[in-house]
Every structure is written in C-alpha cells, then in structure tokens.
Amino acid sequence: QKEVEQNSGPLSVPEGAIASLNCTYSDRGSQSFFWYRQYSGKSPELIMSIYSNGDKEDGRFTAQLNKASQYVSLLIRDSQPSDSATYLCAVNMWNTGFQKLVFGTGTRLLVSP
Amino acid sequence: DTAVSQTPKYLVTQMGNDKSIKCEQNLGHDTMYWYKQDSKKFLKIMFSYNNKELIINETVPNRFSPKSPDKAHLNLHINSLELGDSAVYFCASSLPRGSGNYEQYFGPGTRLTVT
C-alpha cells in the first residue's frame, strides 16, 4: 500500500462546477495534512493545511479531514479554468522526531470553459 | 520579496560531471529540505536539515551531498552525474517542530538534465 494515494485523473469539470479531489493515507499517527497546487513547469504552492477532523474553508477551497477513515479531500467551488493544475496531497509523517512530508502522485484537474 | 530561491534554474550537463545547486530562504525558517521530482511528477524528499544539522537522509546515493553553511542556506552537490539524476530538484523550508506549524514552502526548482 502506498503511503499517500490519489487518483491520478485527469478529473474534468466544467467551469462553475465543484471539483472534488480525494486522498487516503496509510499512517494512522499522521496529524498534519496539506494540499498543494502545481502548475506545469512550476513549483508546488501550498493552498490548504488541515490538522483537525472536519472541514476547513478558505475562499473557494474547503479541505475535509477524517482521521478515522484516513481520508482527506479538497473541494473547489465555482471552478475556474485557472484552477487547472495538478493537486498534490501531502501528509506529515514523523521520522526520528522530525517531520517529513510524503506526497501523493497528484490528481490532474482540468476545468473547461 | 520573502521567498525560497534556488540557483540555477536550469542545469544541462554530461554524465560523469559534478554539479551544485544552491538554495536560500529569507523566511526565517529553521528547517530546509531537498526534494526530487522525477519525470512521472512524483515528489520525494531527499534530505532535511534543521538549523544546519542533517535530520533526514532518505537513502539517497552518497554521490549526493547536501551542505548547510547556515540555517538560511542549503546546497546540494552531486558527483559523477548519471542519466537517472535528470529531474527537477526543489528546495523547501519550514518552521521547526516546536512551532506547531508544519507548512513547507517550495523554491522555484532546478531542472537538471544529464546527457
């Protein structure tokens, strides 16, 4: 089992729709979870972090965390063509007292006008 | 601008050469990282330094040698470059464990091509 799993996509949604991106992780002890957006040829950009079970909203983005199910998701409301990118789920795992981020392989999102 | 910066942005070299990539952050962070993103876009940690001390070494070949002269700088030297080293290398930084904030911020990347 991979440490962090995501559907590679592409996930295609029309402009204005809600895009739902999902991620599962293997380490039950993980406490910190992140979503990064990466445009082609660019570096990963942090868009959301979540530490507690439930929902966290920031503008059009909502992160959802369910530690019991080892599941984290990202909802993008009113999707725009500029949201087209690869979304990387990252989970903080402890390594000898220090954190390391383990990334999923990313889900490619395509928002069509 | 506050940021994580890397040089060079592009690096094209031949097999067997030695090259270095430099990283600097002015975010006041204590912890810095090197990541490798391969052709399939998988992003994997290579090394982490906390205040100049190596804390994570993810079984990277010893041809790769990181060096941190101070907590704002982390360099990566690669000896005897191989074709498989071609990738994008990202530097990142974060606040240390005790801060309660584990967000990592990435530099723009260095695209290394070995021919």
Side-chain angles (χ1 to χ4, degrees), chain B residues 29-75:
Chain B
H29 291 165
D30 284 27
T31 308
M32 297 184 72
Y33 311 82
W34 279 113
Y35 286 86
K36 179 180 180 181
Q37 189 168 45
D38 59 25
S39 57
K40 295 183 179 177
K41 307 300 183 188
F42 184 56
L43 191 60
K44 191 174 190 319
I45 190 168
M46 300 172 68
F47 300 103
S48 177
Y49 271 74
N50 183 67
N51 200 11
K52 302 192 294 177
E53 179 187 353
L54 179 67
I55 55 174
I56 295 175
N57 180 339
E58 288 286 300
T59 59
V60 177
N62 57 15
R63 297 182 297 103
F64 291 79
S65 51
K67 280 192 173 50
S68 181
D70 55 61
K71 69 177 188 179
H73 295 84
L74 179 61
N75 303 323

Side-chain angles (χ1 to χ4, degrees), chain A residues 4 32 34 36 38 40-46 48-49 51 56 86 88 92-105, chain B residues 9 31 33 35 37 40-45 48 50 53 55-56 58 90 94-95 97 100-109 111:
Chain A
V4 180
S32 309
F34 307 89
Y36 285 82
Q38 187 173 25
S40 181
K42 300 295 186 183
S43 60
E45 175 193 6
L46 180 66
M48 288 290 285
S49 59
Y51 299 89
K56 179 182 177 183
T86 297
L88 302 170
N92 201 12
M93 299 186 182
W94 291 102
N95 178 310
T96 61
F98 293 91
Q99 65 152 339
K100 68 170 186 176
L101 273 188
V102 179
F103 284 82
T105 51
Chain B
K9 189 166 184 179
T31 308
Y33 311 82
Y35 286 86
Q37 189 168 45
K40 295 183 179 177
K41 307 300 183 188
F42 184 56
L43 191 60
K44 191 174 190 319
I45 190 168
S48 177
N50 183 67
E53 179 187 353
I55 55 174
I56 295 175
E58 288 286 300
F90 288 104
S94 70
L95 290 168
R97 177 184 180 187
N101 180 338
Y102 307 114
E103 297 173 352
Q104 291 187 21
Y105 296 89
F106 284 77
R111 182 174 294 276

Side-chain angles (χ1 to χ4, degrees), chain A:
Chain A
Q1 181 188 5
K2 289 183 183 174
E3 292 178 291
V4 180
E5 293 206 58
Q6 296 180 255
N7 187 321
S8 61
L11 172 66
S12 295
V13 300
E15 184 174 357
I18 295 175
S20 177
L21 304 158
N22 304 314
C23 172
T24 58
Y25 59 95
S26 61
D27 183 359
R28 281 198 170 274
S30 295
Q31 298 292 322
S32 309
F33 307 87
F34 307 89
W35 284 99
Y36 285 82
R37 177 176 62 199
Q38 187 173 25
Y39 292 111
S40 181
K42 300 295 186 183
S43 60
E45 175 193 6
L46 180 66
I47 54 172
M48 288 290 285
S49 59
I50 186 165
Y51 299 89
S52 304
N53 278 330
D55 294 1
K56 179 182 177 183
E57 187 174 318
D58 184 1
R60 295 186 297 112
F61 298 100
T62 298
Q64 299 175 315
L65 174 61
N66 184 328
K67 290 182 182 177
S69 300
Q70 295 173 244
Y71 176 91
V72 58
S73 65
L74 179 71
L75 300 178
I76 306 174
R77 289 181 300 283
D78 188 24
S79 294
Q80 301 297 309
S82 59
D83 294 327
S84 298
T86 297
Y87 289 80
L88 302 170
C89 173
V91 178
N92 201 12
M93 299 186 182
W94 291 102
N95 178 310
T96 61
F98 293 91
Q99 65 152 339
K100 68 170 186 176
L101 273 188
V102 179
F103 284 82
T105 51
T107 298
R108 189 167 163 232
L109 173 66
L110 298 175
V111 181
S112 53

